[in-house]
Amino acid sequence: MIDIKELQTFEHDVIVVGAGGSGLRAAIECSVQGMSTAVVCKSLLGKAHTVMAEGGVAASLGNADARDNWKIHFRDTMRGGKFLNDWKMAEHHAKEAADRVNELEEWGAVFDRTKDGLINQRNFGGHRYPRLAHVGDRTGLEIIRTLQDYAVHRENIKVYMECTALGLLKDGERISGLIAYWRDSGEFILFKAKAVILATGGAGRAWRVTSNSWEYTGDGYALAYHAGTELINMEFTQFHPTGMVWPHSVKGILVTEGVRGDGGILLNSEKERFMFRYVPEKFAPETADTEEEGDRWLAGDKTARRPPELITRDEVARAITKEINEGRGSPHGGVFLDIATRIPAEKIKKKLPSMYHQFKVLANLDITKEPMEVGPTLHYFMGGVRVDSDTQMSRVPGLFACGECSGGMHGSNRLGGNSLSDILVFGRLAGLGAKNYVNSLSNKPNIDASQVNEIIKNATDILNRESGTNPYLIHEDLQDVMNRYVNIVRTEEELKTAILELERIKHGAAKVKAVGASQYNPGWHEALSIGNLLISAEAVTLAALMREESRGAHTRLDFPGERDEWLKYIITISKNKDGSMKIEKIERPSPPKELAEIAYAKIEELEK
Amino acid sequence: MIERNFKIWRGNSKGGDFVNYKISIDEGMVVLDALKLIQADQANDLGLRWNCKAGKCGSCSMEINGKPKLACMDRVTDYKEDSQITVRPVKTFPVIKDLVTDLSWNYEQNKRIPPFKPKPRENGAKYRMQQEDVDRVQEFRKCIECYLCQNVCHILRDQEKKNKFVGPRFMIRLASLEMHPLDTEDRIPAIKNEYGSGYCNITKCCTEVCPESIKITDNGIIPIKERVVDRFYDPVLKLFRVFSGSKK
Amino acid sequence: MNNNSIGFTYRADNWWLQPVAVLVGLGAFIAYSTWAGMQGAYYYYEPYLSPFYSPLVYVKTGIPGGAPLSHSLLGAWPAWWPNFFLLPSSPAVLILIFPLSFRLTCYYYRKAYYRAFTWSPPACAVGAFPQKNYKGETGLLTFQNFHRYALYTAIIFLFILYYDAAQAFFYKGGFGAGIGTLVLLINPTMLALYTLGCHSFRHLIGGQTDCFSCSKTKFGLWKKVTYLNERHQLFAWLSLFWVGFTDFYIRMVSMGIIKDYNTWGI
Ligand SMILES: Cc1cc2nc3c(=O)[nH]c(=O)nc-3n(C[C@H](O)[C@H](O)[C@H](O)COP(=O)(O)OP(=O)(O)OC[C@H]3O[C@@H](n4cnc5c(N)ncnc54)[C@H](O)[C@@H]3O)c2cc1C
Ligand code: SF4
Ligand code: SF4
Ligand code: FES
Ligand code: FES
């Protein structure tokens, strides 16, 4: 037993877990609202996943095309998510994104400009108009640096870097704080707080081929799950259509959608622009029929329609998978993405500098001369912690979630660019929500020593075991299972196999052992994240098995096509008393009338 | 499959030494892949930082065969087949463990810099800036804070003048603020007196190692030094200011 | 040898190549120019005047390979000149300070000689010469901040050297050209490419503003200067070599060692 008085202890009104775009934006809002705020993040400040985002942030600024407005952004988002999105969240998002982007500019962000000197916007899949404010292909970096520089100059924000949250603490039903550890020293820390905002991102690391960094081990999902919240929409994992496929060691690294937005085309081994064959009915009226029309659209002809490469990600990823499976793939098991023959070399280097660099260095390939080889890669979790659409609070009082860690906003498929706007909009709302919650409290929550001890014991057991399994090998095992059985196209049989496999891995994971001491020991850190990965993986698998239809990013070979019946339901995951995973099919409330009208409107009706 | 020898520095703040590892490598592997492989198979507790594995986050800075580099963008096959690859932590910052160093000094410097202070919007209208006005600033904002430039700058690395000079990364941070068309803050006196622009002797190692190819010295530090000259060392401009009554 | 020693490095490549090349290159130029400047003779061969000696403030007559008095700005060599070993009565001594100070305070040369001569540092990630109290350019070296004044004189010199090149088209009033004319024409051109790419110039011409879109001419000029600035190192060396070569060529012709081919048939 550890005496909690001896633990290093910090007290704040709010603890934000995560220093990505959503965490930092939430922290800034908390600070503006006058609360003492902690930001806890497991990497160094400024290295969070958001830094990798390339293409841009979606907001209907109307700078590049004045016809754009929030309603059309809302309609695109709902259509992209196959109408499974949380209506109110999608409304908040579409309405507020533009303000959040303008606010970033006030805080020092420097976006690319239009000829008139306004923030420039680029085309992206599923967005009716050029809508993505961007900085070349390093938009995420710009956003995180802006928020970081803004946050560090605020008095009441304290940042705890390389500090990993291990478990949440509760006083009865409500949140009272959390336990974390310093990565460098391995020491445990007690954070006392009235509210906790989870902004920990997704769990892509459960797959082998992923664009995600090591941080994406589903910590937030597991923290929330153990604390008693629900996770929703976990079956919807987005596979980005274009990840690198070669060399082997870089497989999965993202190739931004901006390549296609700027004119890049997809070709199979027969040099056919195959996407023309895969346009679903729903998008057909808004998609070009001929290459010539697509080119006119790219050149800015407002009467032309978009090329088929720019329909939503789920469709493109499925099409690519089909081409590869039918033997028309590229030499290393992808398809070709060609920008070289489409726009001049100088423009490629100017608009897509980091793509140019990435291929040059990692694959020895000059994208201004040769086509790239690309294939689907696990990219994003549409699912996550279930939260209130206005306050971002989960069903556990005082526990909030925002960004990729929360679920609902994107429905069954996220449009490119909608995440960077999501993290800003809902980061702020979570901050406001936390403020209202904290204000409503009449007394300070207490810390329960037994909870603290249990969390710490589970963590130190891994180090103290005499012998056990190598955490890295367990992780690899899990990645192989998920890549094989819970991939982009799923079947009942495979999903059931996955469940058995996950059980097997869980057994091994119970005996995981980290060698060495607790000071900066990546083996231990890895071991600590295995449990979180497993919860995330299991949630995805169970939900995928339950949803017997194909919708958005979730494709069931044995249940092709969208089923109207299923539009009425979402799937939630929570923890049973006995510790097992509970899965439920829950009816959705009917959509607010005025929003439904917008979502199902003809595009002409919304253009001003 | 080719075999390669790695010589990796292992230790902590109290000291350490190189340890040899032999692994077989795949085509296209980068040094970070090799380190991760060693970590998974031979040294579970090898201390190492990385995030994106795509040269975007600036976490994996280290010195490979003596050169400050990002391990995730350095291909193993670029080294001669029979050669040994030496990997050690960046020298300028104190070691925590193995290849991990304490970078907190850098974060402190950033806090010292007065933040962006934009002119007010004109009647709430959108800000307007031309692309050519922001090109320079955008170059500096490409910085991924890998701190390789801070590591290689001899003022911090060899001359132990961390108390006098903020280092190249923060010189371009300052340049990005000073050249920002909307910014209204004046940092020039502090650049000379507190951030130590005069300490830089423009020997350009920062530029040589920057993985983002930012022309730190030519486009950032020298222009800033010239602005300091305008304010402090140019007698003619000084006279001009006296007569025109302008403060800057 | 510990990690903090001078020259200590884990670098396995030939990092010393560059400082050595600079050492040799600059060393050779300094040696030659000092020697040539002290000669006070063979710097002229009508109509060619060595750039080391231009402009001619005073001229000493009756010297082999010297210029006629008519070329002098202020006339004959003053009698009060001490004329000892370090200060020979050579016209070069009077003006060498100007190009010298320009190059000495040039941002590129600073980099080059700080690395090659004072080892601060000799190369990147190689132990620097440890200075207990390193001051950079804040102590004694504060004078580097006056580079722009050296630049102003350098611009004046450009005109002078182009004037010399123009003179080289006229032999005793007769228009023509020789190899020497060409050599003398290339010289200020190289110098111009070097001088106009100067960092201070780039700042003064437009770099000091935050609003390029406010003046298209300013921005246009700045872009052109930037183009040269990106090649500043190249032109620094080319112009250095060429000015030395120009003197050498004229000296050789003047001494009669080589023959200048020209239209005048001299
Ligand atoms: C390569 C790539 C490109 C992308 N491009 C785009 C794009 O162009 N447009 C777009 O809209 N979206 C894009 N996305 C998606 C988008 O970047 C992310 O979804 C978004 O940045 C997530 O932000 P976040 O704030 O939710 O989380 P993150 O930025 O991932 O931050 C998570 C934070 O949580 C911390 N954390 C996690 N677990 C713990 C723990 N246990 N304890 C303490 N801290 C913890 C981490 O340290 C980190 O600070 C891209 C994603 C990738 C991978
Ligand atoms: S140029 Fe200046 S800042 Fe850059 S490494 Fe050299 S001394 Fe340091
Ligand atoms: S300026 Fe370049 S080298 Fe320095 S921290 Fe930024 S990216 Fe790294
Ligand atoms: S891991 Fe991100 S830069 Fe190397
Ligand atoms: S910088 Fe080289 S001449 Fe001015």
Side-chain angles (χ1 to χ4, degrees):
Chain A
M1 278 296 272
I2 301 164
D3 183 355
I4 63 167
K5 286 199 200 69
E6 272 161 30
L7 275 181
Q8 194 178 5
T9 304
F10 299 102
E11 187 165 350
H12 294 275
D13 291 328
V14 188
I15 315 282
V16 181
V17 186
S22 60
L24 287 171
R25 187 61 189 82
I28 289 171
E29 197 57 35
C30 291
S31 143
V32 169
Q33 298 299 328
M35 294 192 284
S36 143
T37 311
V39 176
V40 174
C41 56
K42 63 182 184 179
S43 290
L44 294 173
L45 184 59
K47 311 295 181 197
H49 216 249
T50 301
V51 82
M52 296 159 71
E54 293 160 357
V57 40
S60 55
L61 298 163
N63 293 348
D65 193 317
R67 287 173 298 178
D68 201 8
N69 59 54
W70 79 265
K71 289 179 179 165
I72 302 179
H73 190 182
F74 173 78
R75 177 182 180 268
D76 289 344
T77 303
M78 293 303 296
R79 283 162 57 97
K82 314 288 145 110
F83 298 97
L84 208 69
N85 320 51
D86 182 300
W87 292 84
K88 287 287 289 174
M89 283 171 96
E91 182 192 12
H92 274 300
H93 170 254
K95 275 187 176 160
E96 295 165 29
D99 286 346
R100 297 288 78 76
V101 170
N102 286 326
E103 168 184 87
L104 281 182
E105 189 169 56
E106 212 158 283
W107 296 348
V110 186
F111 292 99
D112 287 354
R113 318 304 297 181
T114 64
K115 291 227 157 49
D116 303 330
L118 298 171
I119 295 174
N120 199 1
Q121 294 176 280
R122 68 152 54 109
N123 285 306
F124 239 52
H127 291 284
R128 170 86 187 164
Y129 300 114
R131 188 177 281 149
L132 270 72
H134 61 274
V135 188
D137 53 5
R138 52 164 194 89
T139 315
L141 171 65
E142 188 69 19
I143 290 183
I144 202 155
R145 205 61 85 228
T146 304
L147 294 172
Q148 172 188 345
D149 285 330
Y150 195 78
V152 297
H153 286 104
R154 296 198 65 92
E155 289 287 318
N156 51 357
I157 297 183
K158 192 162 172 225
V159 181
Y160 301 82
M161 296 196 277
E162 296 206 305
C163 177
T164 310
L166 270 181
L168 295 171
L169 303 172
K170 283 180 26 177
D171 174 8
E173 275 311 298
R174 60 184 181 155
I175 283 293
S176 61
L178 59 83
I179 296 292
Y181 69 93
W182 292 115
R183 293 176 80 79
D184 59 2
S185 65
E187 280 167 52
F188 295 97
I189 320 152
L190 167 62
F191 283 99
K192 295 183 180 171
K194 297 175 186 144
V196 169
I197 300 176
L198 295 175
T200 52
R205 276 277 143 188
W207 280 259
R208 163 133 307 184
V209 180
T210 174
S211 64
N212 292 176
S213 82
W214 70 268
E215 292 195 305
Y216 269 28
T217 51
D219 295 6
Y221 303 146
L223 289 170
Y225 172 82
H226 290 308
T229 70
E230 301 156 296
L231 307 176
I232 60 166
N233 290 353
M234 293 301 280
E235 65 275 34
F236 301 112
T237 51
Q238 178 168 74
F239 289 84
H240 194 288
T242 59
M244 290 177 82
V245 294
W246 189 86
H248 192 67
S249 63
V250 300
K251 195 164 177 171
I253 293 183
L254 195 75
V255 179
T256 175
E257 189 163 332
V259 176
R260 282 171 288 143
D262 287 337
I265 54 171
L266 291 165
L267 301 169
N268 60 21
S269 59
E270 290 155 15
K271 298 271 168 307
E272 180 207 7
R273 218 173 137 181
F274 58 86
M275 276 314 296
F276 280 101
R277 283 191 280 114
Y278 289 94
V279 182
E281 234 175 90
K282 193 177 343 162
F283 291 110
E286 291 168 26
T287 309
D289 298 325
T290 61
E291 302 196 4
E292 178 271 335
E293 183 180 2
D295 287 349
R296 271 197 290 126
W297 182 86
L298 283 166
D301 180 345
K302 292 189 175 164
T303 62
R305 294 167 300 174
R306 65 183 42 233
E309 278 85 3
L310 286 176
I311 58 177
T312 55
R313 287 180 178 171
D314 48 339
E315 311 287 356
V316 182
R318 256 194 304 275
I320 292 177
T321 311
K322 193 134 186 266
E323 288 298 306
I324 299 170
N325 289 346
E326 290 176 2
R328 291 186 295 275
S330 65
H332 298 101
V335 294
F336 295 107
L337 172 61
D338 176 34
I339 185 88
T341 63
R342 306 279 300 166
I343 61 176
E346 274 322 303
K347 198 168 162 203
I348 297 176
K349 286 188 201 163
K350 173 92 199 163
K351 298 284 271 183
L352 303 161
S354 65
M355 284 303 107
Y356 174 76
H357 185 65
Q358 181 174 314
F359 274 91
K360 192 99 198 147
V361 176
L362 296 177
N364 238 337
L365 185 133
D366 184 346
I367 66 167
T368 66
K369 297 205 173 80
E370 291 169 83
M372 299 160 247
E373 277 185 73
V374 296
T377 178
L378 189 112
H379 185 56
Y380 185 85
F381 268 56
M382 267 70 72
V385 180
R386 186 181 196 189
V387 291
D388 178 84
S389 338
D390 299 317
T391 66
Q392 298 291 108
M393 189 158 88
S394 70
R395 75 177 183 192
V396 171
L399 183 60
F400 296 76
C402 57
E404 192 168 340
C405 178
S406 64
M409 149 73 203
H410 302 285
S412 67
N413 176 52
R414 170 178 74 90
L415 296 184
N418 267 3
S419 172
L420 290 182
S421 41
D422 159 349
I423 61 181
L424 298 171
V425 168
F426 296 104
R428 173 170 163 276
L429 290 182
L432 288 172
K435 169 67 181 171
N436 287 333
Y437 170 79
V438 167
N439 276 356
S440 73
L441 291 182
S442 50
N443 59 349
K444 248 187 9 195
N446 295 314
I447 301 294
D448 172 356
S450 68
Q451 292 176 16
V452 174
N453 269 289
E454 191 188 324
I455 295 169
I456 294 180
K457 181 166 179 304
N458 286 342
T460 45
D461 278 353
I462 297 172
L463 283 168
N464 296 337
R465 244 167 233 139
E466 284 292 303
S467 66
T469 31
N470 176 338
Y472 296 96
L473 300 185
I474 303 180
H475 192 171
E476 279 176 33
D477 196 1
L478 171 68
Q479 291 184 320
D480 283 336
V481 166
M482 294 308 278
N483 242 54
R484 266 175 84 176
Y485 304 117
V486 197
N487 211 309
I488 183 165
V489 183
R490 301 157 176 178
T491 63
E492 177 177 338
E493 198 191 320
E494 286 179 343
L495 291 169
K496 285 192 165 151
T497 316
I499 291 172
L500 292 178
E501 288 286 282
L502 289 175
E503 280 306 315
R504 176 181 61 76
I505 297 174
K506 267 198 245 171
H507 279 290
K511 295 191 298 267
V512 63
K513 156 83 185 157
V515 294
S518 63
Q519 286 87 3
Y520 219 106
N521 182 345
W524 187 43
H525 305 160
E526 176 89 338
L528 287 169
S529 67
I530 298 272
N532 305 336
L533 280 164
L534 279 166
I535 286 170
S536 315
E538 191 179 352
V540 172
T541 314
L542 288 179
L545 186 62
M546 185 177 234
R547 183 171 283 275
E548 296 184 327
E549 66 159 346
S550 298
R551 179 181 296 274
H554 171 65
T555 310
R556 286 284 297 264
L557 214 54
D558 39 358
F559 295 95
E562 291 170 20
R563 317 263 156 134
D564 287 345
E565 170 65 12
W566 265 103
L567 183 55
K568 295 194 200 116
Y569 299 100
I570 50 163
I571 296 173
T572 66
I573 304 274
S574 57
K575 191 168 149 184
N576 280 319
K577 284 252 150 48
D578 66 0
S580 63
M581 199 173 268
K582 175 166 156 194
I583 176 156
E584 282 172 290
K585 185 172 161 186
I586 289 186
E587 196 159 345
R588 301 172 68 202
S590 50
K593 194 164 152 286
E594 60 301 348
L595 293 180
E597 270 167 20
I598 300 171
Y600 292 103
K602 278 221 175 60
I603 185 74
E604 294 76 21
E605 292 164 16
L606 302 177
E607 286 174 351
K608 282 175 293 186
Chain B
M1 283 282 180
I2 330 159
E3 295 238 300
R4 276 298 159 85
N5 289 315
F6 281 84
K7 204 173 124 187
I8 302 172
W9 195 90
R10 304 286 316 261
N12 55 30
S13 56
K14 295 189 194 76
D17 207 347
F18 287 98
V19 178
N20 292 317
Y21 298 92
K22 186 182 235 156
I23 55 162
S24 39
I25 60 151
D26 243 356
E27 192 182 3
M29 248 193 192
V30 291
V31 171
L32 180 62
D33 290 315
L35 295 173
K36 282 173 61 194
L37 207 65
I38 291 168
Q39 194 183 50
D41 296 340
Q42 306 178 36
N44 278 191
D45 61 344
L46 171 65
L48 172 69
R49 275 197 191 107
W50 67 278
N51 273 41
C52 66
K53 217 173 103 51
K56 295 199 169 76
C57 72
S59 304
C60 60
S61 303
M62 50 190 79
E63 297 187 6
I64 305 168
N65 275 2
K67 287 204 178 169
K69 280 188 177 167
L70 295 179
C72 70
M73 296 304 267
D74 195 27
R75 280 159 67 112
V76 178
T77 37
D78 290 348
Y79 293 93
K80 274 206 230 75
E81 229 161 276
D82 49 351
S83 72
Q84 190 173 41
I85 301 175
T86 314
V87 184
R88 62 175 214 126
V90 295
K91 172 173 181 255
T92 303
F93 301 103
V95 171
I96 295 174
K97 184 169 164 234
D98 301 341
L99 302 172
V100 178
T101 53
D102 179 359
L103 299 170
S104 53
W105 181 80
N106 294 293
Y107 288 90
E108 285 157 25
Q109 303 318 301
N110 194 27
K111 268 198 191 165
R112 289 172 57 201
I113 295 175
F116 179 60
K117 195 166 119 200
K119 355 178 158 47
R121 292 178 192 271
E122 285 162 28
N123 329 317
K126 290 177 179 170
Y127 283 127
R128 283 182 196 262
M129 294 183 273
Q130 293 301 319
Q131 186 61 42
E132 64 256 32
D133 294 329
V134 299
D135 274 338
R136 276 186 304 180
V137 177
Q138 284 187 331
E139 179 185 11
F140 307 137
R141 293 185 66 91
K142 284 197 303 195
C143 169
I144 56 174
E145 296 201 330
C146 65
Y147 303 127
L148 284 172
C149 57
Q150 302 285 83
N151 170 47
V152 83
C153 176
H154 70 110
I155 304 167
L156 311 175
R157 187 184 176 96
D158 301 317
Q159 320 287 11
E160 299 282 341
K161 287 287 175 292
K162 288 205 185 84
N163 53 344
K164 300 277 194 204
F165 181 51
V166 289
R169 190 280 169 261
F170 297 103
M171 289 306 288
I172 61 160
R173 165 93 186 113
L174 285 158
S176 78
L177 289 163
E178 279 302 304
M179 294 180 190
H180 197 305
L182 297 178
D183 183 66
T184 57
E185 182 80 48
D186 174 22
R187 303 171 189 78
I188 295 292
I191 285 175
K192 170 178 173 282
N193 299 321
E194 285 159 46
Y195 310 131
S197 61
Y199 280 82
C200 165
N201 66 353
I202 51 171
T203 34
K204 275 190 159 177
C205 286
C206 47
T207 309
E208 249 176 60
V209 301
C210 177
E212 287 292 298
S213 308
I214 301 169
K215 293 191 182 131
I216 302 174
T217 325
D218 287 358
N219 289 349
I221 300 180
I222 293 177
I224 282 295
K225 275 182 169 252
E226 284 293 317
R227 287 182 186 208
V228 169
V229 174
D230 280 351
R231 190 75 64 84
F232 294 99
Y233 297 107
D234 191 326
V236 175
L237 283 181
K238 256 193 185 158
L239 258 176
F240 180 78
R241 275 196 299 272
V242 169
F243 285 113
S244 69
S246 126
K247 264 199 238 110
K248 272 201 187 177
Chain C
M1 195 171 196
N2 78 29
N3 280 358
N4 294 320
S5 319
I6 323 175
F8 181 83
T9 185
Y10 284 101
R11 277 178 69 167
D13 56 341
N14 296 331
W15 58 266
W16 44 266
L17 221 66
Q18 216 189 31
V20 167
V22 170
L23 207 69
V24 172
L26 280 184
F29 180 82
I30 292 168
Y32 176 76
S33 59
T34 314
W35 174 81
M38 303 251 242
Q39 294 306 301
Y42 299 114
Y43 60 83
Y44 186 76
Y45 180 80
E46 190 166 9
Y48 309 145
L49 171 63
S50 159
F52 283 173
Y53 285 75
S54 181
L56 290 160
V57 183
Y58 296 114
V59 166
K60 200 166 191 168
T61 44
I63 299 282
L69 200 53
S70 58
H71 278 332
S72 165
L73 288 176
L74 299 180
W77 196 263
W80 46 261
W81 192 259
N83 200 18
F84 71 104
F85 167 64
L86 277 174
L87 279 178
S89 38
S90 160
V93 175
L94 299 175
I95 52 112
L96 226 46
I97 180 72
F98 296 106
L100 178 75
S101 64
F102 183 49
R103 290 196 194 251
L104 185 77
T105 57
C106 161
Y107 284 94
Y108 166 69
Y109 283 108
R110 271 143 81 181
K111 170 203 164 188
Y113 63 70
Y114 288 145
R115 281 198 185 194
F117 293 96
T118 66
W119 283 38
S120 50
C124 304
V126 175
F129 182 73
Q131 298 161 6
K132 262 225 194 70
N133 205 1
Y134 173 86
K135 285 210 167 66
E137 300 187 333
T138 60
L140 271 179
L141 294 176
T142 308
F143 73 82
Q144 305 282 28
N145 285 308
F146 298 104
H147 178 57
R148 62 177 60 167
Y149 285 92
L151 164 73
Y152 302 148
T153 61
I155 292 173
I156 297 170
F157 267 73
L158 281 183
F159 286 102
I160 296 173
L161 293 172
Y162 267 119
Y163 173 81
D164 289 345
Q167 291 295 303
F169 282 100
F170 299 94
Y171 175 71
K172 297 202 191 305
F175 182 79
I179 304 282
T181 318
L182 193 66
V183 171
L184 274 169
L185 198 57
I186 293 175
N187 180 48
T189 307
M190 285 297 161
L191 268 174
L193 292 172
Y194 166 62
T195 309
L196 300 181
C198 165
H199 284 280
S200 294
F201 192 60
R202 183 173 180 233
H203 169 77
L204 295 163
I205 205 81
Q208 87 289 64
T209 169
D210 292 340
C211 180
F212 280 142
S213 55
C214 301
S215 162
K216 289 270 174 265
T217 17
K218 217 181 212 184
F219 182 50
L221 279 171
W222 181 84
K223 271 201 298 200
K224 293 203 174 74
V225 172
T226 297
Y227 177 88
L228 291 178
N229 181 262
E230 283 163 356
R231 291 152 184 81
H232 195 51
Q233 171 173 352
L234 175 73
F235 290 124
W237 283 105
L238 284 179
S239 63
L240 188 77
F241 170 78
W242 201 265
V243 73
F245 174 74
T246 309
D247 177 85
F248 178 76
Y249 180 82
I250 293 166
R251 190 165 297 281
M252 289 299 114
V253 172
S254 177
M255 289 168 85
I257 295 176
I258 57 176
K259 183 174 160 34
D260 178 58
Y261 289 91
N262 56 47
T263 57
W264 303 291
I266 45 170

